[in-house]
């Protein structure tokens, strides 16, 4: 049991001495004890310096301590002194003798006053408190003395050591046996059959309801035998004495009431706290509280019990023969945790109880595996009384969680680990190697591991059937993959094993691995299920300090004092805290790797379907462990996701290529068959991985060009940011048609204006036109020629003279393309020559002229203000494109003949846009005038249109001027609007300027518009 206190006799009467110790009082730096009618004062210094303080035995020592008698008063009282107390501020000693309370001087012990009102008193209680005056808010010390006289409670008070003249008196329902102050103004009175709470200021009395002999319903009197308890009933009947009602403070506003073997925990308002009763077999003679323990003196057994007031557990039993009284120094005089012990006395001896150091008490409880008591004691003690209270409390809770784990109470254990943020390494090492790997403190039993693995995988019978089914090719493939991915693992196993063993050796030494039972079967599954929430919580806490790349986050990377709290939080996650920041970062990364890898093993053991989502998040899983496990279980799709998350793209793409090219589809890797999975993987790679993309996109392009081109043509940011020149060079070598498709995509859809890309696409289009619309011997897709001509016509980023060199003047397939390129170079006559004489298509020639005409009008100089430009004016000043076309029709070069029909059509439609003089010069004299009717009609209609338009504009302007003049003269008719010339302003002698506030007088004025 715990050795919280050690009994040291400080006074022991000799056998020849006939006196008896009847009461005792301890205060200040000395102890005052009364022996019958003799009051002896004993110095306390000898008790502090006695060598026996190092002895932790609970029993009393054989030799009494040497003490000095300072004073002896033979005539202090004529009768037995039953109770002593002091009023320190007034320097008064209060005593109860022969049923009367007397007041003595504390220094001389001379009797000052006998309180005659207290005749027949059975008990009294003294309290002192600091009270602020309600009106002046000045603090003062108020001491109160409450005396129980039969059914009455008489009260005296001192204010700053001055006795108040008025006294108060309260009458209760039955006789008062004991008094205990709950607060400075509230008093617990133990009656014959119940307890009541008395407010001395308001005289309010509250009944306390408790179990058994504590008390009944409000106002209930116990009757003749109401106060008789179980322990007082003799064998022959009611031959005992009614038990004494006891009460004591417990700190934090709690109190304990005890009568017989019944107990009740209440607050200072008299309300029950709802806690269970103390399991006393025998009613105590006295109870008390010595911070932080509950004391109970069993006079019939001669023992002192020390209990935890929260758990009610018996921690220590001290043998004190014939002990009859327990004296606790008054709380306002001495505090137990400040070094002042309590006293126990019998009629022949006084023991002083020396307390063991709190740190030593905690250590003793932990050594005896009383972890719950240690935790409770730490919670009750103040921080200043312990060395690193928070750290010790956390460590003990971790030990408790480990003990719960050994008792197979996994949920309670892991919940407690999570509550205290236990270092993940200490929790993970409790599991076998199948979950914890090299961190495990369990012995490495290969058979046990295999058996555990078998419980999570497929049925053993099915495994045997598959092995005997003749799947030799798949077995070889799995073996090859394992060898490829396992080569790097073997090189790092030794170093990692050494570091893990070194890190866990100190922890594993605290509990030998042989002492911990091997987890397996249902126990292992249950423990693993509870481990996963803990690992997820630890993973979340680690993410507060680490970036996905293993660097510290900005707030934690600073070395100033502001990051001290962050450093303390990090230390909670680490089993061994390094000194430097860089080592601490590495330790955090190692811890994160251990947590994520263990979480992966737990998922694979209990719920393999949950392992996939873990890979899609940023994680620190050990790649070697994950690859080995996933290959063993045939989860190749999850392996690809994991490799992608870890940036091991080369290995992932090699695996995809290996399964994608298989002729026979594997059931384990059915999702990896074909090029689809490879294309999806390549689409998610960044532009920096262009070498890998171009290397592994080759085989999807060979098998399915349409699907493979999605890597470059997908509507995604990654596809758009790929280096286009490298992609184009790669596709040129692969297939020219794919290169043309890529060029069309980046130019037409992505609006890339790079001149080299436009030039290459123009050359590819021209080359295709030369081959009768085919590229690389293949048939051209529908609309190839139209796309080529449209590009040559709309693009302005290729060089026309280079394109013209590729266009033969004699190839009919290139006539129109050549005309477009000549138009780009500004050689309109040559372009029209192709349309008129080679293609013999007047419609396209006219469309060409329309396009040129519109382009010239849009780029023409804007007319001056008040001047309107027309197409006729423009054609009168410059030679029109239609004039060029007309000259080709009417005056063709040899050996071509004039074309009257197209020429007359041009004159009829566009004659007004051509200069009249030069147009008439081109018309031959042999052409009848009747054929030119449409031309002249168009010219006249155009001239009339201009005249009529000018007249209309003049009329509109006249109407606008008239409207404005009317508004000026007459106003607009709007209320509060412009009044025209009818507007007037009245100027009086009092009128001032609204800007400078001067009087107008005879000054000139200006009226501002409203």
């Amino acid at each position: 049991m715990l050795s919280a206190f050690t009994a040291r006799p400080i006074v022991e009467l000799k056998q020849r001495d006939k006196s008896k110790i009847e009461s005792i009082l301890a205060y200040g730096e000395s102890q005052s004890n009364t022996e019958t009618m003799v009051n002896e004062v004993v110095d306390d210094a000898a008790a502090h310096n006695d060598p026996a303080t190092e002895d932790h035995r609970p029993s009393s020592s054989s030799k009494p301590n040497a003490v000095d008698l300072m004073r002896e008063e033979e005539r202090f009282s004529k009768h037995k002194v039953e109770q002593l107390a002091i009023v320190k501020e007034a320097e008064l000693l209060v005593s109860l003798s022969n049923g009367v309370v007397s007041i003595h001087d504390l220094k001389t012990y001379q009797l000052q006053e006998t309180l005659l009102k207290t005749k027949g008193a059975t008990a009294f209680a003294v309290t002192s408190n600091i009270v602020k005056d309600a009106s002046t808010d000045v603090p003062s010390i108020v001491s109160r003395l409450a005396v129980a006289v039969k059914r009455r409670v008489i009260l005296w008070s001192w204010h700053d050591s001055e006795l108040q003249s008025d006294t108060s008196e309260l009458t209760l329902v039955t006789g008062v046996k004991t008094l205990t102050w709950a607060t400075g103004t509230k008093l617990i009175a133990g009656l014959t059959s119940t307890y009541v709470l008395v407010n001395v200021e308001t005289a309010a009395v509250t009944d306390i309801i408790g179990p058994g002999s504590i008390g009944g319903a409000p106002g209930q009197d116990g009757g003749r035998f109401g106060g008789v308890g179980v322990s007082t009933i003799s064998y022959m009947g009611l031959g005992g004495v009614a038990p004494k009602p006891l009460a004591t403070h417990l700190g934090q506003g709690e109190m304990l009431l005890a009568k017989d073997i019944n107990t009740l925990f209440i607050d200072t308002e008299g309300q029950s706290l709802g806690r269970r009763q103390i399991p006393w077999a025998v009613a105590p003679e006295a109870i008390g509280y010595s911070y932080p323990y509950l004391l109970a003196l069993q006079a019939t057994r001669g023992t002192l019990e020390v209990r935890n007031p929260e758990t009610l557990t018996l921690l220590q039993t001290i043998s004190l023969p014939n002990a009859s009284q327990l004296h606790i120094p008054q709380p306002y005089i001495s505090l137990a945790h400040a070094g002042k012990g309590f006293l126990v006395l019998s009629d022949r001896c006084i023991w002083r109880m020396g307390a063991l150091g709190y740190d030593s008490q905690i250590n003793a409880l932990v050594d005896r595996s009383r972890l719950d008591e240690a935790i409770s004691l730490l919670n009750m003690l103040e921080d200043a009384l312990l060395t690193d209270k928070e750290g010790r409390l956390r460590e003990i809770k971790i030990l408790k969680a480990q003990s719960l784990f050994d008792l197979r109470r996994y949920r309670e254990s892991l919940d407690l680990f999570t509550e205290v943020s236990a270092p993940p390494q200490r929790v993970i090492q409790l599991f076998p190697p199948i979950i914890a790997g090299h961190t495990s403190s369990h012995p490495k039993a290969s058979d046990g591991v295999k058996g555990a693995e078998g419980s999570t995988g497929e049925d053993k019978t099915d495994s045997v059937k598959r092995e005997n089914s003749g799947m030799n090719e798949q077995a070889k493939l799995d073996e090859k993959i394992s060898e490829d991915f396992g080569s790097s693992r073997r090189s790092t196993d030794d170093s990692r094993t050494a570091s893990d063993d070194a890190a866990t050796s100190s922890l594993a030494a605290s509990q030998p691995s042989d002492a911990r039972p091997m987890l397996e079967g249902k126990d292992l599954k249950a423990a693993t299920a509870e481990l996963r929430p803990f690992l997820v919580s630890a993973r979340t806490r680690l993410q507060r300090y680490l970036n996905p790349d293993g660097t510290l986050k900005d707030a934690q990377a600073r070395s100033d004092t502001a990051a001290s709290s962050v450093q303390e939080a990090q230390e909670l996650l680490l089993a061994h805290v390094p000194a430097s920041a860089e080592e601490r970062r590495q330790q955090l990364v190692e811890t994160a790797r251990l947590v994520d890898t263990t979480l992966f093993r737990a998922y694979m053991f209990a719920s393999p379907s949950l392992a996939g989502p873990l890979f899609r998040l940023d994680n620190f899983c050990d790649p070697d462990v994950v690859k080995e496990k996933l290959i063993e279980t045939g989860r190749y799709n999850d392996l690809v996701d994991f490799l992608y998350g870890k940036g091991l793209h080369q290995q992932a793409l090699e695996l995809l290529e290996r399964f994608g090219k298989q002729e026979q589809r594997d059931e384990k890797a059915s999702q990896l068959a074909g090029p689809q999975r490879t294309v999806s993987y390549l689409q998610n790679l960044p532009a920096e991985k262009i070498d890998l993309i171009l290397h592994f996109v080759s085989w999807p392009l060979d098998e399915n060009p349409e699907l493979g081109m999605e890597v470059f043509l997908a509507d995604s940011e990654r596809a758009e940011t790929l280096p286009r020149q490298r992609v184009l060079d790669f596709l040129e070598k692969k297939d020219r048609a794919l290169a043309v498709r890529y060029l069309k995509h980046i130019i037409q859809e992505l609006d890339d204006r790079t001149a080299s890309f436009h030039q290459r696409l123009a050359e590819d289009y021209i080359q295709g036109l030369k081959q009768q619309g085919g590229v690389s011997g293949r048939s051209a897709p529908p609309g190839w020629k139209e796309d080529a001509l449209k590009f040559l016509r709309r693009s302005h980023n290729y060089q026309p003279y280079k394109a013209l060199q590729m266009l033969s003047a004699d190839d009919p397939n290139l006539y129109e393309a050549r005309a477009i390129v000549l138009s780009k170079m500004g050689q309109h006559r040559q372009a029209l020559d192709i349309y008129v004489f080679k293609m013999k298509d007047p419609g396209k020639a006219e469309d060409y002229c329309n396009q040129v005409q519109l382009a010239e009008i849009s780029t023409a100089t804007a007319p001056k203000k008040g001047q309107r430009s027309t197409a006729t004016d423009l054609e009168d000043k410059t030679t029109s494109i239609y004039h060029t076309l007309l000259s080709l029709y009417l005056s063709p070069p040899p050996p071509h003949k004039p074309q009257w029909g197209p020429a007359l059509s041009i004159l009829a439609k566009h004659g007004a846009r051509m200069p009249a003089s030069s147009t008439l010069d081109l018309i031959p004299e042999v052409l009848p005038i009747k054929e030119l009717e449409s031309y002249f009609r168009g010219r006249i209609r155009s001239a009339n249109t201009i005249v009529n338009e000018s007249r209309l504009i003049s009329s509109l302007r006249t109407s606008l001027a008239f409207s404005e003049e009317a508004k000026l003269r007459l106003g607009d008719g709007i209320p509060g609007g412009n009044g025209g010339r009818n507007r007037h302003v009245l100027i009086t002698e009092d009128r001032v300027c609204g800007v400078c506030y001067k009087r107008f007088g005879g000054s000139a004025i200006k009226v501002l518009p409203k």
Side-chain angles (χ1 to χ4, degrees):
M1 300 180 72
L2 176 66
S3 298
F5 299 99
T6 302
R8 299 178 181 86
I10 57 175
V11 174
E12 189 170 6
L13 300 181
K14 298 180 181 181
Q15 293 182 356
R16 64 176 179 271
D17 195 337
K18 302 301 181 181
S19 302
K20 293 183 179 180
I21 302 174
E22 297 175 346
S23 63
I24 192 171
L25 173 66
Y27 65 93
E29 295 298 330
S30 63
Q31 295 175 346
S32 175
N33 66 295
T34 301
E35 179 183 318
T36 58
M37 293 179 291
V38 179
N39 186 33
E40 299 177 353
V41 181
V42 182
D43 190 4
D44 190 38
H48 286 289
N49 299 328
D50 185 67
T53 56
E54 302 297 330
D55 187 7
H56 297 166
R57 293 175 298 172
S59 60
S60 61
S61 59
S62 59
K63 295 183 179 180
N65 294 329
V67 294
D68 295 328
L69 178 62
M70 299 177 61
R71 176 181 295 184
E72 182 176 357
E73 293 288 337
E74 295 183 356
R75 299 187 180 277
F76 181 80
S77 176
K78 296 181 179 180
H79 303 279
K80 172 184 175 181
V81 179
E82 301 175 4
Q83 188 177 352
L84 290 172
I86 66 169
V87 181
K88 184 177 180 180
E89 291 71 23
E91 295 185 349
L92 299 177
L93 176 64
V94 184
S95 67
L96 173 61
S97 179
N98 195 26
V100 178
V101 175
S102 302
I103 305 297
H104 305 261
D105 184 87
L106 183 59
K107 294 182 178 179
T108 63
Y109 299 158
Q110 295 297 320
L111 179 63
Q112 292 186 352
E113 182 182 1
T114 298
L115 304 179
L116 300 178
K117 289 184 178 182
T118 63
K119 186 174 182 180
T122 55
F124 69 85
V126 178
T127 185
S128 294
N129 301 275
I130 298 177
V131 180
K132 287 187 177 181
D133 187 85
S135 58
T136 62
D137 201 29
V138 176
S140 61
I141 300 178
V142 177
S143 300
R144 288 187 172 92
L145 169 64
V147 182
V149 182
K150 299 181 181 179
R151 294 173 52 192
R152 297 177 299 156
V153 177
I154 306 175
L155 297 168
W156 284 266
S157 62
W158 287 262
H159 290 260
D160 290 332
S161 73
E162 294 184 3
L163 178 64
Q164 302 298 307
S165 58
D166 56 332
T167 61
S168 58
E169 183 176 324
L170 299 172
T171 303
L172 303 179
V173 294
T174 60
V176 181
K177 302 298 182 181
T178 58
L179 293 175
T180 305
W181 286 100
T183 64
T185 59
K186 294 181 180 180
L187 189 68
I188 297 290
L191 308 182
T192 304
S193 58
T194 186
Y195 287 88
V196 294
L197 178 67
V198 180
N199 190 320
V200 298
E201 291 183 338
T202 63
V205 179
T206 304
D207 293 286
I208 299 176
I209 309 301
S213 58
I214 294 295
Q220 176 182 347
D221 192 351
R224 180 178 180 183
F225 303 110
V228 179
V230 175
S231 62
T232 60
I233 300 177
S234 67
Y235 177 75
M236 297 301 295
L238 302 178
V241 181
K244 181 180 180 182
L246 305 176
T248 184
H249 282 273
L250 296 180
Q252 301 297 328
E254 296 182 4
M255 296 191 69
L256 173 65
L257 307 182
K259 190 173 184 181
D260 197 23
I261 60 173
N262 299 307
T263 57
L264 177 66
F265 290 91
I266 63 171
D267 58 16
T268 55
E269 299 296 329
Q271 301 298 321
S272 174
L273 299 178
R275 296 169 59 181
R276 65 187 181 92
Q277 297 191 53
I278 301 176
W280 280 325
V282 179
E285 182 70 20
I287 61 174
Y289 178 75
S290 179
Y291 182 85
Y293 297 108
L294 173 64
L295 308 174
L297 181 61
Q298 302 284 355
T300 58
R301 297 183 178 182
T303 59
L304 177 68
E305 292 184 355
V306 180
R307 292 180 181 268
N308 185 326
E310 289 187 351
T311 64
L312 307 183
T313 304
L314 179 61
L315 300 178
Q316 184 181 9
T317 301
I318 305 175
S319 177
L320 301 172
N322 301 320
S324 58
Q325 296 185 41
L326 175 64
H327 175 68
I328 308 294
Q330 292 171 263
Y332 62 90
I333 297 176
S334 174
L335 297 177
H337 59 273
K340 301 299 182 180
F342 61 94
L343 303 174
V344 181
L345 63 151
S346 66
D347 56 356
R348 307 292 297 175
C349 183
I350 300 176
W351 292 274
R352 184 181 187 277
M353 311 307 295
L356 186 66
Y358 294 122
D359 290 316
S360 301
Q361 294 182 34
I362 299 298
N363 293 337
L365 289 173
V366 173
D367 293 340
R368 292 171 173 80
S369 299
R370 304 291 295 274
L371 301 180
D372 287 327
E373 300 301 327
I375 293 172
S376 177
L377 181 59
L378 280 168
N379 288 327
M380 291 187 293
L381 291 173
E382 298 177 1
D383 295 352
L385 302 177
L386 295 167
T387 303
D388 187 18
K389 174 182 176 180
E390 293 298 329
R392 298 203 65 184
L393 181 61
R394 177 172 178 263
E395 179 63 25
I396 295 174
K397 287 185 177 181
I398 291 176
L399 294 176
K400 178 184 177 182
Q402 291 177 354
S403 64
L404 291 174
F405 190 90
D406 294 337
L407 294 174
R408 305 185 188 278
R409 297 162 62 179
Y410 304 118
R411 173 168 296 184
E412 299 176 37
S413 173
L414 271 300
D415 288 346
L416 187 55
F417 277 131
T418 304
E419 176 188 341
V420 300
S421 300
Q425 189 175 6
R426 296 187 62 176
V427 180
I428 294 172
Q429 70 172 1
L430 301 175
F431 287 79
I434 188 176
I435 301 298
H438 297 283
T439 312
S440 175
S441 61
H442 289 261
K444 296 181 179 180
S446 58
D447 296 338
V449 173
K450 289 180 180 179
E453 291 178 351
S455 64
T456 62
E458 299 176 339
D459 189 75
K460 293 183 179 180
T461 305
D462 296 337
S463 302
V464 173
K465 289 181 180 179
R466 287 198 306 272
E467 292 176 357
N468 298 331
S469 63
M471 300 178 64
N472 296 329
E473 295 182 0
Q474 181 61 34
K476 292 180 180 180
L477 178 61
D478 293 343
E479 183 179 357
K480 180 65 169 60
I481 295 174
S482 300
E483 291 178 356
D484 293 344
F485 289 148
S487 58
S488 60
R489 176 177 175 80
R490 288 191 296 270
S491 63
T492 58
D493 272 348
D494 296 338
S495 60
R496 188 174 63 254
T497 302
S499 61
D500 290 345
D501 292 344
T504 58
S505 59
S506 60
L507 295 175
S510 62
Q511 181 173 4
S513 60
D514 296 339
R516 182 173 293 117
M518 185 69 179
L519 283 178
E520 54 186 358
K522 294 183 179 179
D523 288 336
L524 180 57
K525 285 187 176 181
T528 304
E530 301 301 332
L531 174 66
R532 288 183 297 177
F534 170 80
L535 295 176
V536 172
S537 175
R539 190 172 187 273
T540 303
R541 285 184 280 120
L542 284 166
Q543 288 176 349
R544 300 174 187 171
Y545 314 113
L546 286 176
N547 292 313
D549 58 354
T551 58
L552 289 175
K553 291 188 176 180
D554 296 338
Q556 287 77 35
R558 299 194 304 266
S559 58
D560 54 5
T561 57
S564 59
S565 60
V566 175
Q567 180 178 348
E568 294 175 359
Q570 292 175 359
E571 291 174 356
L572 296 177
L573 297 169
L574 305 180
H576 307 281
V577 183
S580 65
E582 178 60 24
E583 292 178 352
R584 187 162 52 254
R585 184 197 67 80
Q586 294 178 359
Q587 185 73 16
L588 283 172
V589 172
E590 290 296 329
T591 303
R593 181 179 294 109
L594 175 63
V595 169
D596 286 355
T597 304
T598 306
L599 182 60
F600 162 75
R601 288 194 181 104
Y603 281 147
M604 291 300 297
F605 177 78
S607 303
S609 60
L610 298 178
L614 177 63
F615 304 147
R616 298 177 183 91
L617 302 174
D618 294 327
N619 62 81
F620 291 90
C621 291
D622 189 340
D624 297 329
V625 175
V626 176
K627 287 186 291 187
E628 180 182 5
K629 195 69 176 178
L630 292 179
I631 291 173
E632 288 178 0
T633 55
R635 301 178 64 88
Y636 298 107
N637 190 46
D638 289 340
L639 177 58
V640 170
D641 292 338
F642 172 73
L643 294 175
Y644 175 83
K646 284 298 181 181
L648 303 175
H649 305 299
Q650 178 83 20
Q651 299 180 20
L653 290 169
E654 288 176 355
L655 182 65
L656 289 172
E657 182 178 5
R658 185 172 300 163
F659 282 102
K661 290 183 176 181
Q662 282 185 355
E663 296 181 359
Q664 296 182 354
R665 178 170 296 186
D666 182 15
E667 295 181 358
K668 295 181 180 179
S670 58
Q671 298 179 354
L672 308 184
Q676 177 63 48
R677 189 70 171 84
T678 301
V679 171
S680 300
Y681 192 98
L682 293 173
Q683 287 178 330
N684 291 319
L685 291 181
E688 293 79 10
K689 302 296 181 181
I690 186 62
D691 294 329
L692 280 176
I693 294 174
L694 298 180
H695 177 74
F696 286 98
V697 79
S698 180
W699 75 270
L701 288 174
D702 293 337
E703 292 195 7
N704 190 339
E706 187 71 22
L707 180 61
M709 283 299 293
E710 288 298 319
V711 176
F712 310 113
L713 305 182
D715 186 13
S716 64
E717 183 178 357
R718 293 186 183 274
E720 294 177 6
T721 56
L722 291 175
R724 296 170 183 174
Q725 186 62 48
R726 293 197 59 184
V727 173
L728 185 60
D729 294 340
F730 168 78
L731 293 176
E732 284 279 1
K733 298 177 183 179
K734 193 72 178 175
D735 190 340
R736 186 160 187 166
L738 300 179
V740 172
R741 185 179 176 186
Y742 182 70
L743 281 171
K744 291 171 63 177
H745 172 72
I746 62 176
I747 292 174
Q748 297 175 5
E749 297 185 17
L750 303 183
D751 195 22
D752 193 322
R753 300 185 181 183
T754 305
S756 60
F757 294 158
H758 285 254
Q759 187 65 35
R760 292 180 71 170
L761 183 57
E763 294 174 357
D764 288 332
Y765 273 133
I766 294 172
Q767 190 65 28
L769 293 174
K770 286 182 179 180
Q771 299 174 359
Q772 300 292 333
V775 179
S776 302
R778 301 178 183 176
S779 60
W784 171 269
K785 185 175 181 179
E786 289 76 8
D787 293 343
L789 297 178
K790 185 185 295 184
F791 173 76
L792 292 174
R793 185 179 294 111
R794 294 183 177 181
S795 176
H796 301 282
N797 297 306
Y798 67 92
Q799 298 179 0
Y801 71 92
K802 288 187 177 181
L804 185 62
Q805 294 175 358
M806 299 179 62
L807 295 170
S808 174
D810 301 327
D811 190 346
N813 293 324
L814 304 179
Y815 283 161
E816 188 170 0
R818 185 176 176 85
I820 294 173
V821 174
L822 289 172
S823 174
K824 290 288 183 181
M825 299 174 66
Q827 299 178 10
H828 302 298
R829 188 174 186 84
Q830 288 83 344
L832 289 173
D833 185 88
I834 294 175
Y835 286 118
V836 173
F837 299 114
K838 293 185 177 181
M839 297 181 62
K840 298 180 181 181
D841 190 342
K844 289 187 176 181
E846 184 179 354
D847 292 340
Y848 177 81
C849 292
N850 292 336
Q851 294 174 5
V852 174
Q853 179 69 12
L854 291 174
E856 290 180 352
I857 292 176
S858 62
T859 58
T861 305
K864 296 181 180 180
K865 185 176 181 181
Q867 181 180 359
R868 178 178 177 269
S869 64
T870 63
T872 304
D873 296 338
L874 185 63
E875 297 300 336
D876 289 340
K877 296 178 182 178
T878 60
T879 302
S880 174
I881 185 65
Y882 297 103
H883 187 275
T884 303
L885 179 58
L886 183 63
S887 65
L888 290 176
Y889 283 140
L890 298 178
S891 303
H896 302 287
K897 296 180 180 181
Q899 301 180 25
W900 303 108
L904 293 175
S905 178
I906 291 297
L907 286 173
K909 296 178 180 179
H910 308 287
R913 295 186 176 93
M914 294 183 288
S917 58
S918 58
T919 302
L920 293 175
D921 291 341
L922 291 176
I923 300 175
E925 296 179 357
V926 296
L927 185 66
I929 296 299
K930 184 178 179 179
E931 300 292 338
L932 299 176
E933 180 183 359
S934 59
Y935 167 68
F936 290 118
R937 192 184 299 276
R939 293 288 301 187
I940 294 171
R941 185 181 294 112
S942 177
N944 291 337
T945 300
I946 296 173
V947 173
N948 293 334
E949 185 178 353
S950 63
R951 289 176 180 175
L952 181 60
I953 292 174
S954 178
S955 299
L956 292 174
R957 287 180 176 175
T958 302
S959 176
L960 179 62
F962 180 79
S963 176
E964 294 296 330
E965 185 176 1
K967 289 181 180 180
L968 179 62
R969 292 177 180 272
L970 304 177
D972 52 12
I974 299 176
N978 183 15
R981 292 186 176 180
N982 294 329
R983 183 183 180 189
H984 63 277
V985 178
L986 180 63
I987 302 298
T988 63
E989 295 180 354
D990 298 330
R991 187 73 178 265
V992 296
C993 176
V995 178
C996 63
Y997 301 103
K998 293 182 179 179
R999 292 183 181 275
F1000 287 117
S1003 304
I1005 63 172
K1006 180 194 295 184
V1007 178
L1008 300 177
K1010 292 184 179 179

